[in-house]
Amino acid sequence: QYRPLIASNYTSDSKFAVGVFSSGGISSNMSRTSVSNGLTSVGIGGTDWKSEPMLGIFLFNEGKEISTDIKHRQPIRAGVSFTYKLTDKFGLGTGISYTNLTSDIRSGSDSHYFSGEQVLHYVGVPVNVSYDIFRWKRMQLYTSAGLLAEKCVKGKTSTDYVLNYNTAQTKTEDIDKKPFQFSLNATVGIQFTITNLIGVYAEPGVSYYFNDGTDIKTIYKDKPLNLNLNFGLRFTIGK
């Protein structure tokens, strides 16, 4: 007689919750093929291409079909969220997040090309509003929408220059531009309450990323509309 009452007693009067989460998006690929006209006014023989490998790549690829491939790896995001219940249905959320964006770039012919890795680090602050659709025993279904503002705090590229299948030079450079990245986000979440204090949740969602005004190639520029999936733990604090 008491089991139904116990099974449904997974609600809390607390107005404050803390969550930890991680997420990933869907990777993207972009390729471009063109024919190089080369630099016909500059000779090839007798030049030390180790000091100017990029110039050597252009010259040796004169008149050849070259391709540029950019592969954006799956974005990695983790963070902490804070939610305050305004009413029984509505909540206001914020927090702090870290995002890693890594892209692989290759351009040139089979024997003369450059390839490299671009890594960008972002720190962001989200602001969103959530709405509880319904609760049943330990399960909770909800939706949320809001804005994420991110700042690029560090970036670097590592590039290998290959001439005639041999690496002529490897160069690592810091990216000076550190733009802000803004996005609109909407999710539908489902939470399973383990105890009155701890729950696990999953949030499939969609995000739209605005152009950051720079020439830095990222997955957000090639695919501004992104799907993502958050997983996390949520802790209810106080009353």
Side-chain angles (χ1 to χ4, degrees), residues 127-210:
V127 177
N128 58 69
V129 176
S130 61
Y131 176 78
D132 285 351
I133 299 175
F134 74 88
R135 294 172 181 259
W136 182 75
K137 294 184 178 180
R138 303 188 186 194
M139 305 300 296
Q140 176 189 355
L141 182 67
Y142 59 93
T143 184
S144 67
L147 171 71
L148 173 63
E150 297 178 284
K151 170 66 175 177
C152 181
V153 295
K154 186 177 181 180
K156 70 173 184 178
T157 60
S158 179
T159 307
D160 292 327
Y161 298 92
V162 177
L163 291 169
N164 197 25
Y165 301 103
N166 296 313
T167 302
Q169 187 182 82
T170 298
K171 183 184 295 185
T172 300
E173 296 179 310
D174 291 329
I175 298 176
D176 295 331
K177 297 178 182 178
K178 296 179 174 59
F180 281 96
Q181 177 69 65
F182 296 95
S183 62
L184 295 176
N185 307 275
T187 63
V188 175
I190 184 169
Q191 176 171 316
F192 178 80
T193 302
I194 301 174
T195 70
N196 284 340
L197 299 179
I198 303 175
V200 295
Y201 67 91
E203 295 178 345
V206 61
S207 302
Y208 181 83
Y209 293 87
F210 297 96

Side-chain angles (χ1 to χ4, degrees), residues 49-137:
W49 300 117
K50 289 185 178 181
S51 60
E52 293 291 341
M54 195 65 189
L55 180 59
I57 291 172
F58 280 129
L59 291 173
F60 280 115
N61 286 330
E62 179 183 356
K64 296 180 180 179
E65 185 179 82
I66 62 173
S67 63
T68 299
D69 297 304
I70 301 174
K71 180 180 180 181
H72 301 295
R73 300 185 197 176
Q74 187 178 30
I76 298 174
R77 177 171 292 148
V80 180
S81 64
F82 306 96
T83 304
Y84 181 80
K85 290 178 63 177
L86 301 174
T87 67
D88 290 339
K89 291 287 187 180
F90 287 95
L92 181 64
T94 185
I96 186 168
S97 66
Y98 162 78
T99 303
N100 178 294
L101 295 183
T102 301
S103 301
D104 299 304
I105 302 174
R106 186 190 188 281
S107 182
S109 61
D110 291 339
S111 56
H112 311 290
Y113 63 90
F114 68 89
S115 64
E117 179 184 80
Q118 173 184 276
V119 182
L120 301 171
H121 304 272
Y122 291 82
V123 174
V125 176
V127 177
N128 58 69
V129 176
S130 61
Y131 176 78
D132 285 351
I133 299 175
F134 74 88
R135 294 172 181 259
W136 182 75
K137 294 184 178 180

